[in-house]
Structures are given as structure tokens and as C-alpha cells.
Amino acid sequence: MEQYKQEFIEFMVACKVLKFGDFTLKSGRKSPFFMNAGAYVTGAQLKKLGEYYAKAIHDQYGDDFDVLFGPAYKGIPLSVATTIAYSELYGKEIRYCSNRKEEKDHGDTGILLGSKLQDGDKVVIIEDVTTSGKSIEETFPILKAQANVEIKGLMVSLNRCERGKGSKSALEEIKDLYGFETGAIVSMKEVVEYLEGKEIDGQVLIDQDIKNRIDAYYAEYGV
């Protein structure tokens, strides 16, 4: 596992973004783990988060793209932080773009924030996590309506590695449905592999009990 992935797992734990216990997801599933990207709230946290995204995007998609699109609302700070990090780490200026929930008809008009999209733009979409693919369902037509863009792929922070609407994971379903690549900074499989039995700040986050519950969860919902 790459060093930045190991650091990112510890970073999620330190920021209290990744937690273990008993959680009920929007889908109604009872999960032994939960990720809340809304817990990244400080300047230092967002700076580091942008760097992890930039490294993962560079690893998977290289430099051959023009725009980083973050769907409203959580995708807005993600796209801003990551374009800054990409410039600092790789010396390439990537434009950021996000959508509004409602179209604005005065001042900076339209449905988009940040850069306008242009025909021929290559776009990477950035999100926190995707379980059902619903946000892409909303985002894809917005992007295609603005300009003749090529979507290079999607990058999320955590691949939960569980079924979406059918028998495949949400990321696999998105790839099959829309025809672009999908990726994650880390997968839940990598998280479990790294944290199982490992003590961080005097606490073992994935002990045998949590591991058994994670195994049971994936026996029911895994791919």
C-alpha cells in the first residue's frame, strides 16, 4: 500500500471522519463503520485533504485533464482545496468548477460556480463518498448540458466496497452506466487491512469484535 494511503487512513481517524461502532446509513443499512467528510473543518485539514486527493488523481488520471468538478455542496470545498494542491504538487493549473442547487439569474449568472465549462474540456469529478450513485445521476446531465466535455473519471475519498443498486459496487455501476473510470484514495478493504489490530493513540480501532461485524456486513452487502 502506498505511503500516502496509509497516512490518509490515519488522517481520517485523527479528524474523526472515519468512525467504528453502530450506524444507520441513508440506505437503511446498519453499518459498523461510518465516514463523514463534513468533519474536515479547519484550514490545515482541508489543505492536507486536497493533497491526498491530488496524489490519488495524479496516480490514476495523470495530468491530462483541465477541470475538477465538485458537485454541490460537499464537492465545492473538495474541488477548491484539490486544485490548489494540484498546482503546488505538480505545477499544473487545473480550473475548479461546481454547480449551484438553483440557477442564479443575476450577477454571476447560471448553474455553475468557478470556471465555465468549454467544449473539449477534460473533466474529473470529485466527491467524498458514493454509495448509490445518485449524485452522479444528477451531475452528469448538468455537465453535458453546459458544454461538449469529456469526463475522464470520478475520484472519491473512500470506496465502501459494497453493493449499489444491483450486484456491483456503486463505483462499478457508475463506470458501466456512464463509461468513465472511477477511483478512490483508499478502499475499505485497505482500511481494514491497515487498521486491524493496529494501535493508534492508545486505541485499537478494529479489534476482533469490530472485525467480525465488518465481515458480517460484507457478507450481506459486499461485492
Side-chain angles (χ1 to χ4, degrees):
M1 191 189 309
E2 294 89 335
Q3 181 67 30
Y4 78 84
K5 291 191 174 193
Q6 297 177 18
E7 292 173 1
F8 181 65
I9 292 169
E10 294 199 19
F11 175 66
M12 285 194 291
V13 171
C15 295
K16 295 181 170 52
V17 166
L18 180 63
K19 297 182 178 182
F20 298 90
D22 294 300
F23 306 95
T24 301
L25 307 179
K26 284 182 181 178
S27 62
R29 295 175 182 176
K30 305 289 186 181
S31 174
F33 60 91
F34 182 69
M35 198 211 89
N36 173 26
Y40 296 119
V41 292
T42 71
Q45 288 172 345
L46 289 170
K47 182 177 186 296
K48 288 189 73 173
L49 179 61
E51 291 170 355
Y52 290 123
Y53 266 109
K55 289 174 182 176
I57 289 169
H58 188 266
D59 271 4
Q60 179 146 348
Y61 303 116
D63 289 330
D64 188 25
F65 68 102
D66 310 291
V67 178
L68 200 55
F69 183 86
Y73 290 104
K74 285 184 179 179
I76 297 174
L78 295 181
S79 62
V80 172
T82 305
T83 52
I84 294 170
Y86 211 93
S87 174
E88 291 180 345
L89 290 174
Y90 304 110
K92 178 165 183 177
E93 295 296 352
I94 304 296
R95 291 145 44 213
Y96 99 88
C97 180
S98 295
N99 64 298
R100 295 182 170 97
K101 289 291 188 180
E102 295 178 355
E103 192 163 349
K104 190 178 178 185
D105 60 4
H106 62 280
D108 181 19
T109 59
I111 195 72
L112 300 181
L113 292 167
S115 173
K116 301 300 182 188
L117 294 174
Q118 304 164 12
D119 288 349
D121 275 343
K122 295 177 180 178
V123 180
V124 172
I125 302 171
I126 184 170
E127 286 203 282
D128 56 347
V129 66
T130 183
T131 304
S132 66
K134 186 174 186 297
S135 62
I136 298 299
E137 197 176 302
E138 297 169 351
T139 298
F140 188 80
I142 291 173
L143 287 170
K144 286 299 189 178
Q146 300 304 308
N148 183 21
V149 301
E150 176 190 347
I151 300 177
K152 294 278 291 185
L154 165 70
M155 182 60 66
V156 301
S157 61
L158 178 67
N159 179 359
R160 286 184 61 98
C161 301
E162 62 188 80
R163 295 197 310 275
K165 295 176 181 176
S167 61
K168 296 182 177 181
S169 73
L171 290 180
E172 290 174 319
E173 288 176 350
I174 289 167
K175 182 178 179 179
D176 289 349
L177 185 59
Y178 298 103
F180 55 77
E181 295 296 318
T182 59
I185 303 176
V186 293
S187 68
M188 200 59 205
K189 181 180 178 181
E190 289 170 321
V191 170
V192 173
E193 176 188 314
Y194 183 69
L195 288 181
E196 184 181 1
K198 185 180 182 67
E199 189 173 298
I200 295 181
D201 295 330
Q203 183 181 7
V204 175
L205 295 169
I206 301 183
D207 57 18
Q208 193 57 54
D209 175 58
I210 292 291
K211 177 62 165 57
N212 291 342
R213 287 155 67 188
I214 290 173
D215 289 346
Y217 183 79
Y218 281 113
E220 186 169 359
Y221 300 116
V223 291

